[in-house]
């Protein structure tokens, strides 16, 4: 399944000379949607002001210490996370900063801040609905009608994921070349809502974040359920773009940076979901597979 995807990735790395006046890249019929970004946009950079990073267990969970200072959220709340594993991951983000703290690279910290402060004041049900809403504009449900090579690529790479999701959750998820999108039965979002209700609010923040990166709840569920790796999910979310890069060439630094940044965000969000899920819940989900 992944052979053609990897050929795209390898082909995209070669700079191809685009002919003058060449046609513009074709676009999928899906509407252009601006998805909400994270509630917090981290500041850009600042000079590192601490030497050591450590974690301690407090009454409300695990805390991060920068030297002898306890880390706080943007709303000045004590930065406390529910699991030791997540605390270690966040502490690693802070410890890996060099002379300059680059907040825009600290995706786990930002997701924790959003979960702790909840600046948009959304409850669990609203988070679930926001995640399932991506099904209306899911990347892999919108198909092109031409060229035939791209039509075949989308069918070969996206259809198996849709079929997996339909079998895994007992739902129907169709695709369409219409700008109006596919016709999805009302039962499908209801089933997905019921499934996501098994996650806590912290994990749901991560699920919505990943769905926003991939512009696909189907690919996000594939990641969370370990059907896809981060690299596979990102490549599938960029399938048409990778096709165009192979055909017309790429801007070496720009496309590579965009790809690596998307991988980093998607990986952080996926890790956040698993580290925020109760171990017993995660074990139960895996044993069901």
């Amino acid at each position: 399944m992944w052979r053609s995807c990897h050929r795209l990735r390898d082909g995209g790395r070669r700079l191809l000379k685009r002919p003058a006046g060449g046609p513009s890249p074709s676009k999928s019929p899906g509407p252009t949607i601006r998805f909400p970004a994270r509630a917090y946009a981290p500041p850009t950079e600042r000079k590192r002001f601490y030497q050591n990073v450590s974690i301690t267990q407090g009454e409300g969970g695990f805390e991060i210490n920068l030297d002898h200072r306890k880390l706080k959220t943007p709303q000045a709340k004590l930065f406390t996370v529910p699991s030791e594993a997540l605390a270690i991951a966040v502490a690693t983000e802070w410890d890996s900063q060099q002379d300059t703290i680059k907040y825009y690279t600290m995706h786990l910290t930002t997701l924790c801040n959003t979960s702790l402060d909840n600046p948009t004041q959304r409850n669990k049900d609203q988070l679930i609905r926001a995640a399932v809403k991506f099904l209306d504009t899911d990347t892999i449900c919108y198909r092109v009608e031409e060229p035939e090579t791209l039509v075949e690529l989308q069918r070969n790479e996206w259809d198996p994921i849709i079929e997996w999701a339909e079998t895994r959750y007992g739902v129907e998820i169709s695709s369409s070349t219409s700008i109006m999108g596919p016709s999805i039965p009302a039962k499908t979002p209801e089933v997905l809502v019921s499934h996501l209700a098994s996650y806590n609010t912290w994990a749901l923040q991560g699920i919505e974040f990943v769905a926003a990166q991939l512009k696909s709840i189907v690919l996000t569920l594939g990641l969370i359920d370990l059907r896809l790796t981060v690299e596979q999910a990102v490549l599938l979310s960029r399938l048409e773009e990778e096709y165009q890069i192979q055909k017309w060439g790429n801007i070496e630094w720009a496309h590579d940076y965009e790809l690596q940044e998307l991988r980093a965000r998607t990986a952080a969000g996926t890790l956040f979901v698993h580290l925020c899920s109760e171990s017993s819940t995660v074990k139960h989900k895996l044993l069901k597979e």
Side-chain angles (χ1 to χ4, degrees):
M1 172 184 174
W2 302 108
R3 189 173 301 166
S4 54
C5 271
H6 287 303
R7 283 202 300 267
L8 278 178
R9 180 68 250 151
D10 294 338
R13 291 189 180 280
R14 297 193 300 270
L15 280 177
L16 305 177
K17 185 176 181 182
R18 180 174 177 176
S24 301
S26 62
K27 296 292 183 181
S28 295
T32 300
I33 303 295
R34 287 184 176 272
F35 293 102
R38 285 176 291 182
Y40 280 133
T44 308
E45 296 181 0
R46 67 171 293 184
K47 185 176 180 180
R48 177 165 172 161
F49 57 87
Y50 55 90
Q51 294 293 323
N52 302 305
V53 183
S54 62
I55 64 173
T56 54
Q57 186 171 8
E59 294 183 1
F62 293 86
E63 303 163 2
I64 310 297
N65 306 303
L66 306 179
D67 292 334
H68 301 295
R69 308 173 186 174
K70 291 189 179 296
L71 186 62
K72 299 292 184 66
T73 71
Q75 292 186 11
K77 296 179 181 178
L78 182 63
F79 190 101
T80 307
V81 299
S83 75
E84 183 177 16
L86 180 56
I88 292 172
V90 171
T92 301
E93 279 190 333
W94 285 89
D95 193 46
S96 65
Q97 303 302 305
Q98 302 301 314
D99 294 337
T100 302
I101 305 173
K102 299 180 179 179
Y103 292 99
Y104 52 84
T105 67
M106 303 168 73
H107 306 305
L108 291 174
T109 297
T110 304
L111 282 166
C112 289
N113 282 332
T114 301
S115 298
L116 287 165
D117 286 348
N118 191 16
T120 56
Q121 296 299 305
R122 291 185 298 174
N123 58 31
K124 181 174 181 177
D125 181 66
Q126 290 172 317
L127 287 171
I128 293 173
R129 299 289 175 181
V132 174
K133 185 67 176 175
F134 282 95
L135 188 62
D136 295 339
T137 54
D138 201 291
T139 295
I140 70 174
C141 291
Y142 282 88
R143 307 296 175 86
V144 298
E145 295 181 312
E146 57 180 358
E148 183 57 34
T149 50
L150 180 55
V151 172
E152 182 180 4
L153 184 65
Q154 291 180 337
R155 181 171 59 248
N156 291 342
E157 302 299 341
W158 285 348
D159 281 2
I161 304 305
I162 289 180
E163 291 168 4
W164 165 82
E166 289 178 329
T167 301
R168 169 70 174 83
Y169 302 105
V171 297
E172 180 181 341
I173 304 173
S174 56
S175 61
S176 173
T177 59
S178 169
I179 194 172
M180 301 303 294
S183 177
I184 298 178
K187 177 187 174 183
T188 298
E190 292 176 359
V191 170
L192 296 184
V193 165
S194 177
H195 171 74
L196 292 179
S198 65
Y199 291 91
N200 60 46
T201 55
W202 280 61
L204 289 170
Q205 291 278 6
I207 290 173
E208 186 195 7
F209 175 70
V210 174
Q213 307 311 306
L214 302 176
K215 297 180 175 58
S216 170
I217 187 61
V218 178
L219 292 177
T220 299
L221 291 172
L223 260 180
I224 303 305
D225 278 359
L226 307 182
R227 170 62 175 78
L228 298 169
T229 66
V230 169
E231 184 177 29
Q232 290 169 345
V234 168
L235 188 54
L236 286 172
S237 75
R238 289 167 46 93
L239 196 62
E240 185 176 352
E241 183 175 356
E242 294 294 337
Y243 173 87
Q244 299 298 345
I245 289 173
Q246 183 188 32
K247 187 172 183 179
W248 304 111
N250 72 336
I251 302 174
E252 189 171 9
W253 66 268
H255 284 133
D256 287 346
Y257 175 82
E258 180 182 307
L259 175 62
Q260 296 305 322
E261 178 64 13
L262 181 56
R263 283 179 179 171
R265 288 174 176 269
T266 303
T270 304
L271 178 62
F272 184 81
V273 173
H274 286 289
L275 295 182
C276 291
S277 301
E278 294 181 3
S279 59
S280 58
T281 302
V282 174
K283 183 182 297 184
H284 175 67
K285 288 178 180 296
L286 295 178
L287 287 175
K288 288 175 63 179
E289 294 301 321

